[in-house]
Amino acid sequence: MIVSPTAMAGLALIALGMVCTPGPNMVYLLSRSILQGRLAGAISLAGVLVGILCYILCTALGLTALMLAVPLAYEAVKWAGALYLLWMAWNAVRPGAGSALEPRSDLKVDRPAKLFAMGFLTALLNPKIAVFYVSLLPQFIDPERGHVLLQGLVLGGTQAAISFGVNLMIVLAAGSIAAWFAARPSWLRAQRWIMGSLLAGFAVRLAFDKRPV
């Protein structure tokens, strides 16, 4: 085997914990699936997955390490991601905004291309993903086994597969979640502010995050 079973199991466990932790990707996929349906959620998930695969490929080729070594490149991606999260937070709490978990009939239906692009940006405009791959994947690569690039791709692909599986379950279960909230209007209002607060918190934490040395 290119990658040892121990290394594969260790990375899979960490990947599972990471994807189960609420973050921008989960919030976006949940809200889009509820507002526009499972197909829209699946298309958005495809965009998220491509964004993750871009980071995996760049990490395997050493390009993300270069980004982290160049302050201006890291800062540009970091601030773009923070502003994007703040925009999502404002849309959650702005006057007249509804909850992402509230069924709506007046929702503008986004085209598949836009759904895909927004999912892609949600994953791509987050340098924390790059930091995760740069710091984590090398710990599970054994140079003595050879094929370092292939090991990186296999390990990264494992993480991507786990992320896809968990997020797909979120997309498929979004309707049931919406039905539960629909019967509890007070929870809808609370959810809107909780979501906005979480997104704003992600943005602030990202904005003040220091470049790894």
Side-chain angles (χ1 to χ4, degrees):
M1 296 179 64
I2 296 296
V3 179
S4 71
T6 301
M8 185 72 75
L11 182 132
L13 184 62
I14 294 175
L16 182 61
M18 183 182 72
V19 73
C20 290
T21 302
N25 289 353
M26 182 183 292
V27 171
Y28 175 72
L29 291 173
L30 182 61
S31 61
R32 180 47 57 186
S33 299
I34 292 172
L35 293 176
Q36 197 171 326
R38 291 177 177 176
L39 179 58
I43 295 173
S44 300
L45 175 57
V48 170
L49 183 62
V50 171
I52 292 175
L53 291 178
C54 285
Y55 272 119
I56 292 173
L57 181 59
C58 289
T59 299
L61 296 175
L63 296 181
T64 44
L66 176 63
M67 185 192 79
L68 296 177
V70 179
L72 288 179
Y74 181 84
E75 291 296 319
V77 175
K78 182 182 77 171
W79 284 104
L83 290 174
Y84 179 64
L85 291 176
L86 284 175
W87 177 78
M88 291 180 65
W90 166 247
N91 277 279
V93 301
R94 62 181 171 80
S99 170
L101 299 174
E102 182 179 5
R104 291 171 54 187
S105 59
D106 61 338
L107 178 69
K108 178 182 177 181
V109 177
D110 288 331
R111 295 174 299 172
K114 184 175 181 180
L115 292 170
F116 182 90
M118 293 295 285
F120 177 74
L121 288 175
T122 300
L124 199 63
L125 292 180
N126 186 357
K128 297 296 288 185
I129 296 179
V131 174
F132 171 82
Y133 283 117
V134 169
S135 63
L136 182 66
L137 284 187
Q139 300 180 33
F140 293 93
I141 293 177
D142 184 2
E144 295 184 358
R145 287 179 171 266
H147 305 288
V148 172
L149 174 60
L150 184 57
Q151 287 188 59
L153 292 176
V154 170
L155 289 167
T158 300
Q159 188 278 330
I162 293 173
S163 177
F164 176 79
V166 173
N167 283 313
L168 181 60
M169 288 190 289
I170 291 173
V171 168
L172 296 178
S176 299
I177 296 172
W180 189 90
F181 275 96
R184 299 164 177 83
S186 59
W187 281 88
L188 281 175
R189 291 190 293 271
Q191 178 276 329
R192 187 162 58 93
W193 283 95
I194 290 172
M195 178 183 293
S197 299
L198 286 174
L199 289 170
F202 292 142
V204 172
R205 188 175 65 178
L206 181 57
F208 288 95
D209 184 56
K210 294 183 178 181
R211 184 172 61 93
V213 295

